[in-house]
Coordinates of all heavy atoms in Angstrom, one line a residue:
Chain M
Y197 N 4.6 0.4 0.6 CA 4.4 1.8 0.2 C 5.0 2.7 1.3 O 5.5 3.8 0.9 CB 2.9 2.1 0.1 CG 2.3 1.8 -1.3 CD1 1.6 0.7 -1.6 CD2 2.6 2.7 -2.3 CE1 1.1 0.5 -2.9 CE2 2.2 2.5 -3.6 CZ 1.4 1.4 -3.9 OH 0.9 1.2 -5.2
L200 N 8.6 2.7 0.5 CA 8.8 3.5 -0.7 C 8.9 5.0 -0.3 O 9.8 5.7 -0.7 CB 7.7 3.3 -1.7 CG 7.6 4.3 -2.8 CD1 8.7 3.9 -3.8 CD2 6.3 4.3 -3.5
D202 N 9.6 6.3 2.5 CA 10.8 6.6 3.3 C 12.0 6.7 2.3 O 12.9 7.6 2.5 CB 11.1 5.4 4.2 CG 10.2 5.4 5.4 OD1 9.4 6.4 5.5 OD2 10.2 4.4 6.2
T203 N 12.2 5.8 1.3 CA 13.3 5.8 0.5 C 13.3 7.0 -0.5 O 14.3 7.4 -1.0 CB 13.5 4.5 -0.4 OG1 12.3 4.3 -1.1 CG2 13.7 3.3 0.5
G206 N 10.6 10.9 2.2 CA 9.3 11.4 2.8 C 9.3 11.3 4.3 O 10.0 10.4 4.8
N210 N 4.1 12.6 4.9 CA 4.0 12.1 3.5 C 3.4 10.7 3.5 O 2.7 10.4 2.6 CB 5.4 12.1 2.9 CG 6.0 13.5 2.7 OD1 7.0 13.8 3.2 ND2 5.2 14.4 2.0
A214 N 0.2 10.5 1.2 CA 0.4 9.8 -0.1 C -0.1 8.4 -0.1 O -0.6 7.9 -1.1 CB 1.8 9.9 -0.5
P218 N -5.4 8.4 0.4 CA -6.1 8.0 -0.8 C -6.9 6.7 -0.6 O -8.0 6.6 -1.2 CB -5.0 7.7 -1.8 CG -3.9 8.5 -1.3 CD -4.0 8.6 0.1
R298 N -9.5 10.7 -10.7 CA -8.4 10.4 -9.7 C -8.8 9.3 -8.8 O -8.0 8.4 -8.5 CB -8.1 11.7 -9.0 CG -6.9 11.6 -8.1 CD -6.6 12.9 -7.5 NE -6.2 13.9 -8.5 CZ -5.0 14.0 -9.1 NH1 -4.0 13.2 -8.7 NH2 -4.7 14.9 -9.9
S307 N -10.6 5.5 -16.9 CA -11.5 6.6 -17.0 C -12.1 6.6 -18.4 O -11.6 6.0 -19.3 CB -10.8 7.9 -16.8 OG -9.6 8.0 -17.5
Chain H
N86 N 14.9 8.1 5.2 CA 14.4 9.3 4.4 C 15.5 10.4 4.4 O 15.3 11.4 3.7 CB 13.1 9.8 4.9 CG 13.1 10.2 6.4 OD1 14.2 10.0 7.1 ND2 12.1 10.8 6.9
I90 N 19.8 7.6 -1.0 CA 19.7 6.3 -1.6 C 18.3 6.0 -2.0 O 17.4 6.2 -1.2 CB 20.2 5.1 -0.7 CG1 21.7 5.3 -0.3 CG2 20.0 3.8 -1.3 CD1 22.3 4.3 0.6
Q96 N 7.8 -4.6 -7.3 CA 6.5 -4.1 -7.9 C 6.7 -2.6 -8.1 O 7.5 -1.9 -7.3 CB 5.4 -4.3 -6.9 CG 5.1 -5.7 -6.5 CD 4.6 -6.6 -7.6 OE1 4.0 -6.1 -8.5 NE2 5.0 -7.9 -7.6
L98 N 4.8 -0.1 -7.5 CA 4.3 0.7 -6.3 C 4.1 2.2 -6.7 O 4.5 3.1 -6.0 CB 5.3 0.6 -5.1 CG 5.5 -0.7 -4.5 CD1 6.5 -0.6 -3.3 CD2 4.2 -1.4 -4.0
L99 N 3.4 2.4 -7.8 CA 3.1 3.8 -8.2 C 1.9 4.2 -7.3 O 1.1 3.3 -7.0 CB 2.7 3.9 -9.6 CG 3.9 3.6 -10.6 CD1 3.4 3.8 -12.1 CD2 5.0 4.6 -10.4
H102 N -3.5 7.1 -7.2 CA -4.3 8.3 -7.5 C -3.5 9.4 -8.1 O -4.1 10.5 -8.3 CB -4.9 8.8 -6.1 CG -3.8 9.2 -5.2 ND1 -2.9 8.3 -4.6 CD2 -3.5 10.4 -4.6 CE1 -2.1 9.0 -3.8 NE2 -2.4 10.3 -3.8
E107 N 2.6 13.2 -12.0 CA 2.6 13.5 -10.6 C 3.4 12.5 -9.7 O 4.0 12.8 -8.8 CB 1.1 13.4 -10.1 CG 0.3 14.6 -10.6 CD -1.2 14.5 -10.4 OE1 -1.6 13.3 -10.2 OE2 -1.9 15.4 -10.5
Y111 N 6.4 13.6 -7.5 CA 6.3 13.4 -6.1 C 7.6 13.1 -5.5 O 8.0 13.6 -4.4 CB 5.3 12.2 -5.8 CG 5.1 12.0 -4.3 CD1 4.2 12.8 -3.6 CD2 5.8 11.0 -3.7 CE1 4.0 12.6 -2.3 CE2 5.6 10.8 -2.3 CZ 4.7 11.6 -1.6 OH 4.5 11.4 -0.3
S142 N -3.3 2.8 -13.5 CA -4.1 1.7 -13.9 C -4.4 1.7 -15.4 O -4.9 0.8 -16.0 CB -5.5 1.7 -13.2 OG -6.1 3.0 -13.4
E143 N -3.9 2.8 -16.1 CA -4.1 3.0 -17.5 C -2.9 2.7 -18.4 O -2.9 2.8 -19.6 CB -4.6 4.4 -17.8 CG -5.9 4.7 -17.1 CD -6.2 6.2 -17.1 OE1 -5.3 7.0 -17.3 OE2 -7.3 6.6 -16.9

Side-chain angles (χ1 to χ4, degrees):
Chain M
Y197 271 105
L200 168 76
D202 288 354
T203 57
N210 295 121
R298 185 176 298 279
S307 52
Chain H
N86 58 355
I90 297 179
Q96 304 290 330
L98 298 181
L99 295 179
H102 63 295
E107 287 165 344
Y111 183 82
S142 56
E143 297 165 344

